[in-house]
Amino acid sequence: MNVNASAAAGKTPSARFDQVSKLFGTFAALRQVSLDLEPGRCYVLLGPNGAGKSTLLRILAGLLRPSHGTVRVFGNSDPHESRARIGYMSHAAMLYDELTAQENLLYFRSLYPGRACLEPADALRQVGLDPDLNRYVGQYSQGMRQRTSLARVLLHVPDLLLLDEPFSNMDVESVRQMVELLARFRQSARTIVLTTHQRDLAAPIADWVITLQAGRVASLDRGAPTA
Amino acid sequence: MTRALFTHLVKDLRIEWRTLDAMISMLFFSGLVVVLFSIAFDPRGAFAQQIAGGVLCVATMFASVSALNQAWSREIRHQVMDAQRMVPSPGAELYLAKAIANFLFVTIVQVLLAPFFFIFYNLHIAGQGWLLLLVLPLGTWALVGNGVFFAALSMSSRNRELLLSIILFPIFIPALLAMVQATTSIFTGDSDPTLWIKMLLGYDIIFTTASLLLFDVIFHAE
């Protein structure tokens, strides 16, 4: 199934998948996926384990190359050209255990020269963490790591935000705060793609719900965002 | 030095300062080599002068490998490497920062080990001792420059510790030979170490240039 909502609307997509397949040996993680992602929209990827959700995100992030087909992110066929505009949060924290949250964010902020980044303290406040907390990330709870990880990806104010299972390990209140934050983020004409097993949690911000099954787009449903 | 290189370097030095992971294992291994060789061989007279260069290089080599194995382990843990691969600054700066950090770690270990080395082997430098200040840094850079590169190459392998030794040691042999010969010449004063020092310098320039040019390819490999 093709998803070409933005083409129909006449908008330039943030990202475009054209007949993209990804093979790991003989296993096809993605099969001929075509997809346009519009700016200012939130796409929720659903599907069972192994459906290809994380693979799709990693291809968008430029961490994997498609075996067949083409991917364009912000018009560039080489995703590395666009990497300063992409924020990717995976299952893992992608942070150094031996540094504090502030130190981690200061470090990553320095690696985006020429880009207007948030102050680390502001990014931490946005995700509901105390910037003055002087503890190493290795001593954080799983939920706190998850929030710090989100602060890391928001730091360089990406135009395309890729979140792999962002609600895992989070309590109900933290999920609510995160959904509010993502809703504000989406309103500034930025694109969000997130994967989850919990459809209800993402429903308030979902413009489109894409269900993947065995590497194919099985269904595409328009969401009813409330946030 | 660019800002990103400095940032990477400060981060690696800060983490090592807090954990001392690399330093402790390096001190342990190199100390063990120096002590065991002094027990195995009679460390008196001219013989000690002859083998001291080799012992010093072997101690440095084994110590470095334990540190090099850890050079990328922090990046692999929690998939920090993926975050590194997504930043716009060049991967070569990360490589260079890691090489400089490991060079500093090994140099500190050499400095700490030096007094024990001279005591255990009863050494008297017959040649131009100051040349050691050229030979040891050049040899150490040859080791860590290649080591950091090949550790990155082998980091996705399950047997990365073994793989690093298998790839690194054969490639390091020309530099090891030059380092041992130059050090022995300085200790004994029998010959001129200049040719060996030039060889080390050439080796460093060639392999560092190649590593810088090729690092982005292995860094962004799937």
Side-chain angles (χ1 to χ4, degrees), chain A residues 22 58 61-65 80 83-84 86-88 90 92-100 103 107-113 136 145 152, chain B residues 3-4 7-8 11-12 14-15 18-19 21 74-75 77-90 94 98 216-217 220-222:
Chain A
K22 179 64 187 176
R58 289 179 69 80
L63 295 169
L64 289 177
R65 289 184 204 92
H80 288 146
R83 57 191 159 176
I86 303 173
Y88 170 61
S90 78
M94 297 162 98
L95 298 164
Y96 294 100
D97 276 351
E98 301 83 359
L99 302 179
T100 64
E103 287 169 345
Y107 168 68
F108 282 107
R109 185 177 184 260
S110 307
L111 302 179
Y112 287 87
Y136 299 143
R145 278 175 198 238
R152 181 188 60 75
Chain B
R3 189 178 167 195
T7 304
H8 290 307
K11 179 263 297 174
D12 277 344
R14 180 177 280 160
I15 291 178
R18 286 177 183 170
T19 62
D21 285 345
R74 290 186 191 108
E75 314 295 332
R77 203 172 45 191
H78 305 315
Q79 295 179 10
V80 186
M81 185 59 87
D82 282 345
Q84 294 281 12
R85 288 167 68 193
M86 289 198 62
V87 299
S89 60
L94 179 64
K98 285 222 175 281
D216 260 350
V217 176
H220 290 291
E222 287 180 10

Side-chain angles (χ1 to χ4, degrees), chain B residues 126-145:
Chain B
Q128 295 168 289
W130 65 271
L131 283 176
L132 281 176
L133 297 176
L134 269 180
V135 173
L136 291 180
L138 286 174
T140 303
W141 182 262
L143 187 60
V144 298

